[in-house]
Amino acid sequence: MERYSYEAQEFALIENSSLPFAVYQFLNKRVVTIALSAGFCKLFGFTDRAEAYSVMDNDMYRDAHPDDIARIASAAVHFAVDEVPYDVVYRTKVDGTYRIIHARGEHTYKDGVRLAVVWY
């Protein structure tokens, strides 16, 4: 299976949305980031979109509170593998201060490819 790619207009619509959400794909037993909204970047303190994509692809839990990481990771695995809804409350550090985040996600299919949409 290949990494999903939105058409340019739809991708721009997602990236310019002020609502904080992300689209992921479970590919080769790992989560890859397909799209991040402007609202997502603002909520998590990213001013550089390329950095946001890099962090989400390579160190997704970088800023999560250490006490929350195992629980978040476990919920993410169940979400990806068992296709159950994702519903997690956790702490993440933004600009040096922890924020409480409530993340919810559901799977959707786009052109026959299963994607995960998570809103924060």
Side-chain angles (χ1 to χ4, degrees):
M1 180 182 292
E2 292 184 22
R3 183 182 181 124
Y4 184 79
S5 181
Y6 282 101
E7 292 195 23
Q9 186 175 8
E10 194 170 12
F11 185 71
L13 182 69
I14 292 169
E15 282 204 323
N16 290 318
S17 175
S18 61
L19 301 173
F21 72 98
V23 180
Y24 305 101
Q25 182 180 4
F26 191 58
L27 186 62
N28 299 324
K29 297 185 180 182
R30 74 183 291 271
V31 174
V32 295
T33 308
I34 303 300
L36 300 172
S37 71
F40 174 95
C41 292
K42 182 177 180 182
L43 178 66
F44 289 95
F46 290 108
T47 56
D48 179 341
R49 192 175 297 272
E51 178 191 7
Y53 278 96
S54 178
V55 168
M56 296 313 293
D57 277 341
N58 299 302
D59 196 5
M60 186 176 281
Y61 306 124
R62 176 187 81 177
D63 297 321
H65 192 282
D67 294 344
D68 297 340
I69 293 173
R71 185 173 45 79
I72 300 167
S74 177
V77 169
H78 287 295
F79 176 57
V81 175
D82 301 329
E83 295 193 44
V84 297
Y86 185 69
D87 190 358
V88 178
V89 176
Y90 64 97
R91 295 161 289 180
T92 193
K93 193 176 278 190
V94 178
D95 297 326
T97 304
Y98 280 106
R99 288 186 182 178
I100 296 173
I101 302 293
H102 186 181
R104 298 201 54 179
E106 295 182 2
H107 290 104
T108 187
Y109 286 84
K110 184 77 173 157
D111 302 324
V113 176
R114 186 177 71 143
L115 299 173
V117 179
V118 179
W119 57 97
Y120 303 85

